[in-house]
Amino acid sequence: MANRGANRRAQPVDNTISYVQCDGLAAMKMVKHCHEESLNNMEVAQGALLGLVVDDRLEITNCFPFPKSDETIDEEEYQLNMMRRLRHVNVDHFHVGWYQSADVGNFLSNTLLESQYHYQTSIEESVVVVYDTQKSARGFLTLKAYRLTPQAIAMYKERDFTPEALRNLKVGYENLFIEIPIVIKNSALCNIMMSELTEQVPEEEGTHFLDLGTASVLENHLRCMMERVDELNHEATKFNKYQQAAIRQEQEKHRMLAKNAQENAARIAKGETAVPEDEINKLFRPIPVPTRLNPMIVSGQINTYAQHISQFCSQSLAKLYMTQALQNAKDNKQ
């Protein structure tokens, strides 16, 4: 972070899982659940991932949604019952992680970090799969798997989010998560059926790929980025006030210590007992350091929005030049 040269040193790397293999049925279940929650309640959809680990490959073969928070159901008991029933019908019932929906790529949050930390410390190979409903609705299937880095796990284990602790661990929003490649696997019969369905799609249905109507997407991204920048500015102001208060306290402490040293010299000259410095140190209690976890998360969200804006802008420009060339070719023929 502050010391970029120190970051070039070798850091611990997570080599537990090299890639994730997800069955098409499990992927469709996740997509269906996330879109239903997004359309009905605009809430974050979450669920459990089931499967098994083969060598360095994590296979996701099934999943089921978590109960809603407003329901009077013990979530832990619910998951155990679901896995027990799946085991009775010879379905993979080993817990290998969880999934969550996201809105325009904004999945990074304190809750997600906390949940993944508990998953990864109890199930070493576990992953969190994030499905972006808004981006997928625009034609970009976004299904990504993430794991916490060893630095992030050490940060949560120590529960110290001060600037000094984060600097020592070399933790920033860039290395909180590591993305694991995800591959969707279908059976041969399923691939044949998809090929037949592709041939049945009318040609005119593909004209929307040159649609330039991405203004609403960019507007939404920019609005969200402005909100995150305002929040980051608020956190920076809070930290600057802490630094100013700490400097003022240190200056006042040095002033009183210097005054006490002069008074002690006068007392010793008169043969009196000197006042210890501990009495002055007790007057100045350490100012609590504001946590830097939230600003780090907000910075990661801003980075995600900036990447999405860059992606949409580049694709819009490419479509614009392509349609311009097609229009020029049409005009020349006429």
Side-chain angles (χ1 to χ4, degrees):
M1 293 175 64
N3 187 358
R4 295 295 179 183
N7 288 348
R8 296 191 182 96
R9 301 174 187 173
Q11 296 181 354
V13 180
D14 183 9
N15 294 322
T16 308
I17 299 296
S18 61
Y19 72 98
V20 175
Q21 178 179 296
C22 181
D23 282 3
L25 177 60
M28 291 303 296
K29 284 184 177 180
M30 284 186 277
V31 170
K32 182 175 182 290
H33 178 218
C34 292
H35 278 291
E36 286 178 349
E37 290 295 327
S38 176
L39 294 174
N40 296 335
N41 304 317
M42 297 299 292
E43 295 180 355
V44 175
Q46 294 179 338
L49 299 175
L50 305 177
L52 65 158
V53 180
V54 181
D55 297 329
D56 60 346
R57 180 180 74 250
L58 178 67
E59 296 185 3
I60 300 174
T61 57
N62 209 333
C63 65
F64 61 86
F66 290 151
K68 296 181 180 179
S69 57
D70 58 345
E71 295 180 358
T72 57
I73 299 177
D74 185 358
E75 186 172 328
E76 185 175 353
E77 185 66 24
Y78 170 82
Q79 294 184 41
L80 291 175
N81 288 335
M82 285 293 294
M83 289 186 286
R84 192 179 300 114
R85 292 170 182 174
L86 290 171
R87 182 179 58 188
H88 290 163
V89 293
N90 292 329
V91 176
D92 292 329
H93 59 279
F94 295 107
H95 210 161
V96 295
W98 60 298
Y99 69 88
Q100 175 180 305
S101 63
D103 186 11
V104 290
N106 187 14
F107 70 92
L108 187 60
S109 65
N110 194 8
T111 305
L112 185 136
L113 289 169
E114 188 85 20
S115 300
Q116 182 58 21
Y117 168 74
H118 290 301
Y119 266 95
Q120 211 160 314
T121 50
S122 58
I123 308 172
E124 186 180 1
E125 301 85 2
S126 65
V127 298
V128 53
V129 175
V130 179
Y131 174 73
D132 194 331
T133 55
Q134 294 294 327
K135 199 173 179 182
S136 298
R138 291 283 176 175
F140 306 95
L141 178 61
T142 307
L143 196 66
K144 296 184 178 181
Y146 296 96
R147 283 173 55 82
L148 285 178
T149 60
Q151 298 95 321
I153 293 177
M155 176 187 69
Y156 264 94
K157 189 175 295 184
E158 296 177 5
R159 294 289 173 179
D160 188 2
F161 306 121
T162 59
E164 188 67 26
L166 298 182
R167 190 184 308 114
N168 293 336
L169 290 173
K170 303 179 179 64
V171 179
Y173 69 85
E174 308 96 335
N175 57 355
L176 280 177
F177 281 103
I178 178 173
E179 184 177 349
I180 309 297
I182 185 168
V183 178
I184 297 180
K185 180 184 178 183
N186 292 313
S187 64
L189 291 176
C190 184
N191 289 330
I192 294 172
M193 184 190 69
M194 292 175 63
S195 299
E196 293 179 351
L197 291 176
T198 303
E199 295 176 355
Q200 296 176 8
V201 176
E203 294 183 0
E204 59 270 11
E205 292 295 327
T207 56
H208 67 277
F209 292 118
L210 293 179
D211 181 22
L212 299 177
T214 56
S216 60
V217 179
L218 293 176
E219 181 182 354
N220 189 18
H221 278 61
L222 288 172
R223 186 181 294 109
C224 293
M225 179 182 283
M226 289 170 61
E227 294 175 356
R228 297 286 85 78
V229 169
D230 288 340
E231 186 175 351
L232 185 61
N233 181 58
H234 177 71
E235 292 289 343
T237 303
K238 187 191 302 183
F239 188 71
N240 289 338
K241 289 181 179 179
Y242 155 75
Q243 287 182 318
Q244 293 171 2
I247 291 173
R248 284 196 300 267
Q249 185 187 66
E250 193 68 21
Q251 291 174 347
E252 183 66 18
K253 182 178 178 181
H254 284 305
R255 187 185 66 80
M256 293 192 67
L257 286 174
K259 181 180 178 181
N260 184 64
Q262 293 177 357
E263 293 176 353
N264 283 340
R267 289 190 181 96
I268 293 173
K270 294 178 182 179
E272 299 176 358
T273 305
V275 177
E277 294 184 354
D278 293 341
E279 296 296 329
I280 297 178
N281 291 331
K282 292 179 182 178
L283 299 175
F284 297 93
R285 296 182 179 178
I287 301 176
V289 183
T291 176
R292 302 303 293 163
L293 179 61
N294 189 51
M296 183 167 56
I297 292 174
V298 174
S299 300
Q301 293 174 350
I302 293 174
N303 180 62
T304 301
Y305 284 130
Q307 291 178 352
H308 287 181
I309 289 173
S310 175
Q311 180 184 9
F312 273 106
C313 287
S314 60
Q315 291 173 350
S316 297
L317 287 174
K319 291 178 181 179
L320 180 62
Y321 283 116
M322 189 181 299
T323 52
Q324 183 180 7
L326 293 174
Q327 185 64 34
N328 292 338
K330 183 179 179 180
D331 294 340
N332 294 333
K333 286 182 179 180
Q334 295 177 353

